[in-house]
Amino acid sequence: MYWYILMVAILGLVTFLFIKVSRPAGPCLRVLMYHKVSGNGERDFLTVTADQLSTQWKYLKSEGYSPILFSDLVQFVQQGKALPPKPVLLTFDDGYKDNYEVMYPILQHLGMKANIFLVPGYLKQQMHSSDGVYLDLSEIRIMKSSLVEFGLHSYDHQSYKTLSPEALQLDIRKTADWLSAQGIPFQPCIAFPYGAYPKKNPVKYKRFTEALEKSGMVLAFRIGNRLNAMPLKKPLLVQRLDIRGDDSFEDFVRLVKKGKAVF
C-alpha cells in the first residue's frame, strides 16, 4: 500500500509539472490556425463554417483578446515594440478563395485582423483555372493592408522536413520573388507546410533554423497546439492552435484558454 501511494503521488507530481511546462503562467501569445471557411454550413477538419467563425471571433472580443498582424509581431521581436493586451494572431493557410468571399466580410464586420500564408503554386493554378478554389490576385489586392497581411507557405506546398538547407533557401527565395513580381506585399513570416520540420535531429534542426535566418525570416510557425510564452524564446518555432471545423465551441474555448494538455 505504501508503494502504491508513493507511485500515485509521484505520477501526480509529474503530471502537474508537465502541465505547468506546457501552459505558460505569465503573458502569452495565442496563434490560431485556420484553413477554409464555408458559407453553406459544410464543415470538416480543415473547414469552419461562417457561423462558427463569427461565434469564435465574438468570443475572442468578449474575452478581451486583441487581434494583431504579422508586422506587429515582427516589430515586437525586432524592436521590442509593445503588443496590445492578450494578443492573438489569426492565421489562414494556403490562400483559399473563401478567405476573401466568406472570411473577409466577417472580419470587416467584427473589426478583426487576419494573416494569410500564401503558396505561389496554388495562386498560379488559380490564374489558369476557373474552379474558384484559391484566391485571385485581384482579391488579394482588394483586402485592406490594415486588416489583412500575408506571409509565406512555401512555393508549392512541399514538406520542409527533408529539404537540405540550400533547397530550403531556394524555396523561400522563389516564393518571395514570385510574390514580389506580382506586387503582393508580404511579411518575413513563414509557416511550415504540414507543420513539418526536422525536429528529431538537433544538427539538422540547427541548420534548418540557420537557413531560415539567412533567408530573412523573422518568424516561423509550426502547429504544436500550445500557447507561446512571452517574450518569444524561439521566434522561428512559434506554435499554433489548430482550429478544426469538426470540433465543438467548447473545444475551441478550451484550446484558446489553455492550449492542448499534455495528457
Side-chain angles (χ1 to χ4, degrees), residues 175-234:
T175 305
D177 287 350
W178 192 88
L179 293 175
S180 295
Q182 305 306 317
I184 300 173
F186 59 88
Q187 296 296 320
C189 305
I190 190 166
F192 310 145
Y194 314 105
Y197 65 100
K199 60 183 176 180
K200 294 185 179 181
N201 186 314
V203 174
K204 288 184 177 180
Y205 172 69
K206 185 175 185 296
R207 291 173 179 170
F208 179 79
T209 55
E210 288 174 346
L212 291 174
E213 292 175 346
K214 290 178 181 178
S215 298
M217 295 298 102
V218 176
L219 293 161
F221 298 81
R222 53 171 293 193
I223 303 178
N225 283 305
R226 301 285 191 268
L227 310 184
N228 299 280
M230 300 289 277
L232 297 174
K233 293 183 178 179
K234 295 183 177 181

Side-chain angles (χ1 to χ4, degrees), residues 15-25:
T15 301
F16 172 77
L17 291 175
F18 265 115
I19 293 176
K20 289 288 285 184
V21 168
S22 67
R23 295 174 180 167

